[in-house]
Amino acid sequence: MFFMMGITDGRKDFDFNQVITCDECGRYGRYQVYMTYMVLSLFFIPCFKWNRHYYVQTTCCNALYELDPEIGRRIARGEDVEILPPHLQRVNPQYGYGFENGSGNTIKRCSNCGYTTTEDFEFCPKCGRRL
């Protein structure tokens, strides 16, 4: 008798729409909410999830925030929730569009592959996604 089991990480995107004016870049955008977790699978069937974290990413500049777990659970249940600034904690201030390095040049970072550049590219030269 043998067992097929594994531990992997997962991500679940939620159908959540809230239009915002971004505090980081000043443009209009919306929040994309998702959850990351670790999962134990037996025979390729997910059995147990733990280490759940809820994140919010803006569509305008890809700023990434960690969401208050209680608000995240309410969104996961499908409740109508409004995300307020006290519910968010900035994860990586260098993530997303337009932060400056020490020389004053604006640096863009691809949200897909992590490629950084100081050039004024509209698309990532490494993976082709929009910056």
Side-chain angles (χ1 to χ4, degrees):
M1 178 178 226
F2 67 94
F3 287 99
M4 292 281 290
M5 62 184 265
I7 297 175
T8 60
D9 55 346
R11 174 180 165 152
K12 180 176 181 181
D13 294 321
F14 296 112
D15 185 26
F16 181 81
N17 289 311
Q18 181 176 336
V19 179
I20 58 152
T21 302
C22 184
D23 293 336
E24 296 295 319
C25 67
R27 295 186 289 177
Y28 287 111
R30 64 180 177 83
Y31 286 144
Q32 294 176 324
V33 180
Y34 63 92
M35 173 182 67
T36 60
Y37 55 88
M38 297 295 291
V39 62
L40 171 69
S41 299
L42 296 174
F43 296 105
F44 306 106
I45 299 171
C47 296
F48 180 67
K49 294 179 184 175
W50 73 94
N51 199 22
R52 297 175 190 199
H53 293 279
Y54 298 92
Y55 293 98
V56 173
Q57 189 170 13
T58 61
T59 58
C60 52
C61 64
N62 292 326
L64 186 64
Y65 300 91
E66 187 165 2
L67 183 61
D68 177 26
E70 179 58 35
I71 302 299
R73 284 190 287 273
R74 290 177 60 192
I75 291 172
R77 287 192 299 257
E79 294 181 22
D80 188 24
V81 177
E82 180 181 3
I83 297 175
L84 301 173
H87 301 146
L88 301 173
Q89 180 179 356
R90 183 68 191 239
V91 172
N92 187 354
Q94 300 171 351
Y95 188 78
Y97 182 84
F99 65 94
E100 290 191 8
N101 62 7
S103 64
N105 296 333
T106 300
I107 298 174
K108 291 184 179 180
R109 181 176 181 148
C110 178
S111 62
N112 185 48
C113 68
Y115 180 79
T116 57
T117 181
T118 57
E119 301 292 330
D120 191 24
F121 294 131
E122 187 173 341
F123 294 92
C124 177
K126 187 172 180 184
C127 69
R129 288 265 179 109
R130 183 179 292 274
L131 291 175

